[in-house]
Amino acid sequence: LEHVDGVDCGFSFSACVTQFQQLFVWGSDKEGQLGFGRPPEAESTLIPRREDIICYPQHLIAITEAKAIACGDHHMLLLTSE
């Protein structure tokens, strides 16, 4: 990734904001913390399934004008300019 303005990490995931106000996320999405959403019928287990782990940064295109992020153990807070 280029032009990263800020980066933070949670228990098993990370996120960054770029100078172009884009949000990128990667790591475990077991609790839906990456923002992709989880179907209500998704099974909750102690060990993340392979499909719950994103190994490389993914751009969340639905998020625009991202300014700053803060990550907790299993959640993320995003500040936008909107």
Side-chain angles (χ1 to χ4, degrees), residues 1 4-8 14-18 22-26 57 69:
L1 287 175
V4 173
D5 254 359
V7 65
D8 203 4
S14 301
C16 72
V17 173
T18 70
Q22 300 169 313
L23 175 64
F24 288 84
V25 296
W26 64 97
I69 52 166

Side-chain angles (χ1 to χ4, degrees), residues 2 6 13 23 27 34 45-46 54 58 60 65 69:
E2 297 179 355
F13 71 100
L23 175 64
L34 297 184
T45 63
L46 295 177
I54 309 298
Q58 295 290 303
L60 288 180
E65 302 184 33
I69 52 166

Side-chain angles (χ1 to χ4, degrees), residues 9-14 28 31 33 70-76:
C9 59
F11 178 69
S12 58
F13 71 100
S14 301
S28 172
E31 304 294 332
Q33 62 268 42
C71 298
D73 284 349
H74 300 286
H75 66 279
M76 177 179 9

Side-chain angles (χ1 to χ4, degrees), residues 13 26-27 52 59 64 79:
F13 71 100
W26 64 97
D52 290 334
H59 179 205
T64 59
L79 176 66

